[in-house]
């Protein structure tokens, strides 16, 4: 069964908005990030990061939290470049 998706006024799915909000403020949690992810979303950190990574490519995410999405995209690009450089050596 599929759940009905709810959207925010910004046009982004509520769960996607919650992921971006969490990523923007997880460091204020007293629990380790993996534990906070499980508590907030009921999924593994691997699944959370898969969803976050896919979300970074959506224009709605950029419109909702532009500074966060741009920063995370930049970090992702840096990690990809570092992996590519390691493969060349």
């Amino acid at each position: 069964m599929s759940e009905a998706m709810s959207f925010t006024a910004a046009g982004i799915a509520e769960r996607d908005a919650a992921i971006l909000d969490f990523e923007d403020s997880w460091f204020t949690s007293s629990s380790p990030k993996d534990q906070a992810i499980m508590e907030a979303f009921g999924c593994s950190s691997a699944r959370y990061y898969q969803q976050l990574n896919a979300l970074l490519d959506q224009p709605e995410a950029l419109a909702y939290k532009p500074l966060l999405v741009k920063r995370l995209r930049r970090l992702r690009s840096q990690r990809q470049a570092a992996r590519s450089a390691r493969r060349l050596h």
Side-chain angles (χ1 to χ4, degrees):
M1 261 184 256
S2 66
E3 298 176 9
M5 289 185 66
S6 307
F7 292 87
T8 66
I12 189 169
E14 286 185 5
R15 181 170 172 90
D16 293 346
I19 289 172
L20 292 173
D21 292 341
F22 175 85
E23 193 62 28
D24 209 15
S25 64
W26 70 266
F27 50 85
T28 62
S29 172
S30 59
S31 341
K33 189 172 184 182
D34 289 347
Q35 182 180 343
I37 288 169
M38 182 57 77
E39 291 169 0
F41 301 105
C43 65
S44 69
S45 57
R47 181 68 184 133
Y48 167 84
Y49 286 115
Q50 288 173 342
Q51 292 173 341
L52 176 62
N53 193 45
L55 187 54
L56 294 180
D57 295 324
Q58 295 181 9
E60 297 85 2
L62 182 61
Y64 181 68
K65 291 241 183 218
L67 295 177
L68 174 69
V69 171
K70 287 177 185 177
R71 179 173 57 84
L72 294 176
R73 284 178 177 177
R74 185 176 64 250
L75 291 171
R76 179 177 64 181
S77 293
Q78 290 169 350
R79 284 191 305 273
Q80 288 170 341
R83 278 194 303 270
S84 294
R86 281 195 303 268
R87 275 190 239 128
L88 294 175
H89 293 294

